[in-house]
Amino acid sequence: MLLEIDHHSGVPIYRQVMRQIRQQIMTDGLRCGDQVEPVRELAARLRVNPMTISKAYGFLEAEGLLERRRGVGLFVADVEGGKQEEIRTELLAQAMDRAAVTAVQLGLSEEEAVEFLRKHYSEYSLKGARQR
Amino acid sequence: MRQENVIVEIRGLSKRFGRTAALDRVDLTIGRGSIIGLLGANGAGKSTLLRHIIGLYLADSGTCTTFGVDAGKLGPAELGRIGYVHQEGELLDWMTVEQLIRYVAAYYDNWNGDLEARYVEDFAIERKKRVGTLSPGQRQKVAILLAIGFEPELLILDEPASALDPIARARFLDLLLQFIQDERRTIIISSHILGDVEKVIDHAIIMRDGRIACDSGFDALRERFARVTLTSLNGPMPQELGIEGVIACQRDDTRAVLTVRDCTREALAARAKALHCDIEIKALSLEEIYAAIAG
């Protein structure tokens, strides 16, 4: 699992871990049935307190993104459609909020902002299509 | 907390030195598997509290139980599970470093020679030097080695890194994180250098005037406080922002920087939308949180 911890961002580390795992699950970086790295292993590798990792895993388990198989470990759960949609909306809303605020601050009209987004979207979706 | 996970239990502990109340009715429970930061100004009672835990001081009133035993009656079986680095760093000055290590190691059946060798290498400890000739930083390194060499279950560090240079401090923090990977272990660390401590602790205890001013999970503590920057998206902001829990505020017509406590991100974000503002929420550093609680 490739996670990156920023000790200076001010965002609690357990939230950074949660966000990145959530993102990886949504973007298929982690798939249903994949085992996640054990708490102590991940903590040692990231050089963080193991409590931090078990807290992040605990919340993700409560959210239904991870499931515990007794005596084996934690696995990526089969996330049902409604929940997936909810997380997707949340991730998108965060990113779109930032973009919208900047557009308003710079005095763009709604049409200009949408046009801008369309332009950027097409750049990335083309790249994505080529990879797949 | 389940009883078998309670390492230290303190109830109504008071201690006076002459007319000074060093500890004033302290209640505290310390659980297994945490790195606990014990924070507070000089004279707040940190060292006094730590010394009660290992039975170096006896309470005037109240109780302190460590590993289930009255701390005043701890025997070799319990003391052999506790590593302690104290502020003064008193060591046997006339020995060489090597002699001192062998002398201390001889007390413990479970002294870890591999750990010792790795530590001596990592921290560039000179075994042949006489202890009395070491610099304060080198003394601290030796004191830390002597406290961890037998892999204690409870490691008590009283200002352990104050004399270390920045690189040694970073190594030292790494060492603590490695140490705690074994879930049976617990570390209590008192320190002034908050910027260091906040990288490793999961629990914070803040003392003021011999009392516990705050006893909280560190993430929960961090999330109670925030620095909020509001930037108006059109026109001046109203005089009354309608945000609760503001402890500091700087503002002009279109921008406000607030320090808030006990506000959820969601509530702040909703308020910002209502005010038609951009909002940026940042966590406070431990130093700033400390100032808000203990200052």
Side-chain angles (χ1 to χ4, degrees):
Chain A
M1 231 169 9
L2 187 61
L3 301 178
E4 198 181 12
I5 301 302
D6 181 353
H7 284 281
H8 303 288
S9 71
V11 180
I13 293 169
Y14 84 94
R15 278 187 185 258
Q16 296 185 33
V17 171
M18 283 177 70
R19 182 188 296 170
Q20 291 179 45
I21 292 182
R22 219 184 267 136
Q23 189 125 23
Q24 290 188 19
I25 292 176
M26 293 315 294
T27 56
D28 279 350
L30 284 167
R31 284 157 204 259
C32 169
D34 281 355
Q35 183 166 12
V36 297
E37 212 170 325
V39 169
R40 300 213 165 245
E41 225 175 276
L42 183 61
R45 203 160 56 73
L46 297 178
R47 304 195 164 187
V48 300
N49 191 312
M51 291 281 197
T52 308
I53 303 296
S54 61
K55 184 166 175 179
Y57 281 1
F59 279 121
L60 289 170
E61 199 186 340
E63 274 181 25
L65 291 186
L66 299 180
E67 62 185 1
R68 191 174 301 276
R69 296 189 198 153
R70 288 183 93 192
V72 193
L74 270 174
F75 293 80
V76 176
D78 187 6
V79 186
E80 40 119 352
K83 180 72 190 168
Q84 259 190 32
E85 203 45 51
E86 188 186 313
I87 298 170
R88 194 195 306 274
T89 307
E90 198 189 308
L91 286 171
L92 256 173
Q94 283 169 8
M96 290 297 165
D97 263 354
R98 299 307 316 159
V101 162
T102 308
V104 171
Q105 274 175 332
L106 295 176
L108 268 71
S109 70
E110 188 178 325
E111 288 72 33
E112 285 170 319
V114 170
E115 186 47 45
F116 215 81
L117 176 66
R118 190 171 288 135
K119 187 170 152 238
H120 281 257
Y121 181 88
S122 66
E123 268 174 37
Y124 284 100
S125 71
L126 265 179
K127 279 178 203 159
R130 232 176 279 140
Q131 270 169 15
R132 268 168 213 160
Chain B
M1 207 178 301
R2 278 198 303 216
Q3 201 52 41
E4 71 263 26
N5 286 330
V6 174
I7 302 281
V8 177
E9 182 129 55
I10 293 171
R11 289 289 165 264
L13 180 64
S14 294
K15 179 74 174 179
R16 302 187 73 84
F17 294 114
R19 271 191 289 174
T20 315
L23 294 178
D24 186 10
R25 288 160 290 167
V26 169
D27 289 315
L28 192 61
T29 303
I30 287 173
R32 194 186 295 276
S34 274
I35 305 184
I36 297 137
L38 182 60
L39 316 169
N42 282 328
K46 305 186 300 286
S47 296
T48 307
L49 183 70
L50 293 177
R51 285 174 192 181
H52 278 87
I53 293 175
I54 49 179
L56 277 180
Y57 285 159
L58 299 178
D60 293 340
S61 61
T63 59
C64 176
T65 315
T66 305
F67 289 128
V69 176
D70 176 5
K73 300 191 177 105
L74 291 170
E78 293 85 27
L79 291 171
R81 297 156 72 191
I82 305 173
Y84 174 49
V85 178
H86 48 92
Q87 235 170 342
E88 293 80 9
E90 272 172 44
L91 300 168
L92 297 168
D93 283 343
W94 52 272
M95 287 188 182
T96 65
V97 171
E98 174 65 14
Q99 284 170 330
L100 182 61
I101 295 173
R102 296 279 68 79
Y103 170 72
V104 172
Y107 282 97
Y108 299 98
D109 295 335
N110 51 339
W111 186 266
N112 185 333
D114 294 339
L115 176 74
E116 175 197 317
R118 236 182 309 131
Y119 185 95
V120 165
E121 170 91 24
D122 285 352
F123 286 83
I125 289 177
E126 296 168 89
R127 291 182 187 265
K128 288 185 188 138
K129 272 209 172 170
R130 205 157 290 282
V131 173
T133 67
L134 297 177
S135 71
Q138 288 170 319
R139 288 177 81 88
Q140 257 182 349
K141 290 179 193 172
V142 172
I144 293 166
L145 169 60
L146 298 178
I148 63 165
F150 55 101
E151 304 187 294
E153 278 172 62
L154 174 59
L155 180 58
I156 296 178
L157 304 162
D158 195 357
E159 293 287 349
S162 52
L164 301 184
D165 61 66
I167 292 172
R169 284 218 304 271
R171 287 227 170 94
F172 168 68
L173 294 177
D174 262 356
L175 179 83
L176 295 186
L177 288 172
Q178 278 166 33
F179 186 86
I180 203 71
Q181 298 301 332
D182 183 330
E183 63 221 38
R184 288 163 302 180
R185 296 181 183 158
T186 306
I187 302 173
I188 309 174
I189 177 168
S190 89
S191 181
H192 289 343
I193 310 173
L194 302 181
D196 274 358
V197 174
E198 72 180 324
K199 292 188 193 124
V200 298
I201 63 175
D202 55 78
H203 198 97
I205 295 168
I206 299 178
M207 293 190 71
R208 185 175 53 198
D209 302 332
R211 292 188 177 199
I212 308 286
C214 169
D215 176 3
S216 163
F218 186 47
D219 285 327
L221 178 63
R222 291 199 79 151
E223 290 179 341
R224 276 181 56 198
F225 293 88
R227 166 112 348 107
V228 180
T229 307
L230 292 168
T231 310
S232 170
L233 291 175
N234 54 354
M237 290 190 285
Q239 205 51 42
E240 191 49 62
L241 297 174
I243 293 173
E244 309 253 324
V246 175
I247 48 183
C249 175
Q250 277 184 300
R251 62 169 291 178
D252 55 27
D253 278 351
T254 57
R255 247 169 104 81
V257 181
L258 314 168
T259 307
V260 298
R261 67 189 294 167
D262 300 322
C263 294
T264 66
R265 288 176 166 259
E266 292 72 26
L268 288 168
R271 194 66 208 128
K273 276 216 168 111
L275 291 165
H276 206 60
C277 284
D278 178 29
I279 185 168
E280 196 183 356
I281 304 174
K282 282 189 175 161
L284 299 193
S285 69
L286 179 54
E287 214 152 317
E288 292 168 305
I289 293 171
Y290 175 76
I293 291 177

